[in-house]
Amino acid sequence: PIVVTGDGEDKGFLWDLMTGEQLMELEGHEDSVTSACFSSTGDYVASGDMEGEIRVWDVAKKELVCELSCGDDLTFMCWHPKVKFLLAGTASGPIHMWSVPGQALSYFAGHTAPASAVEWAPDGRTFASASDDGRCIV
């Protein structure tokens, strides 16, 4: 198994969980990497920093696939359960959605405080988001 971590030195890392070996360094961020997650297939890993800059990597090829930006402090990222859509929440509330490798699909502006969590429905047709404003939006 492979795990992903971020750090305060502007990098993310892929690790072999069994051996502890560092498999890949996710470089290019200019602020602390605060969020990282694998796509549902494990083909891609996204690393995001405090400034809202996101880098998506091909795990097998160990190559950068695309760079995305929220334009605001990043609060979370979440991959779609079936296709290569990536959601990212921001400190000002909006949630962004992209089709990887980099096409912006949607911008959801319903929250008025930091978007704090999101979860896709198992069928991938909808998602629910929660915010520090106390609201849950489906």
Side-chain angles (χ1 to χ4, degrees):
I2 299 173
V3 296
V4 60
T5 63
D7 73 7
E9 301 297 322
D10 310 342
K11 294 178 184 173
F13 302 93
L14 293 185
W15 304 91
D16 182 307
L17 187 59
M18 301 306 287
T19 66
E21 175 188 359
Q22 180 183 313
L23 302 174
M24 184 177 172
E25 190 170 299
L26 310 175
E27 301 176 304
H29 290 284
E30 296 184 14
D31 207 337
S32 298
V33 174
T34 57
S35 185
C37 56
F38 287 98
S39 64
S40 61
T41 60
D43 296 340
Y44 291 143
V45 64
S47 57
D49 64 36
M50 289 178 66
E51 291 186 354
E53 300 303 313
I54 299 167
R55 298 170 69 82
V56 178
W57 307 84
D58 183 305
V59 174
K61 294 179 182 177
K62 297 184 179 182
E63 293 178 352
L64 182 65
V65 174
C66 65
E67 297 178 65
L68 311 168
S69 180
C70 295
D72 191 4
D73 294 349
L74 180 68
T75 54
F76 67 79
M77 295 185 301
C78 180
W79 287 94
H80 188 279
K82 298 182 180 190
V83 295
K84 292 179 177 77
F85 292 171
L86 181 66
L87 291 175
T90 64
S92 60
I95 297 171
H96 299 261
M97 183 168 65
W98 296 274
S99 175
V100 171
Q103 178 186 358
L105 292 178
S106 295
Y107 176 85
F108 304 95
H111 294 296
T112 58
S116 52
V118 70
E119 187 63 42
W120 286 96
D123 66 5
R125 292 178 188 255
T126 59
F127 66 87
S129 62
S131 171
D132 291 356
D133 61 12
R135 294 176 10 161
C136 179
I137 300 173
V138 180

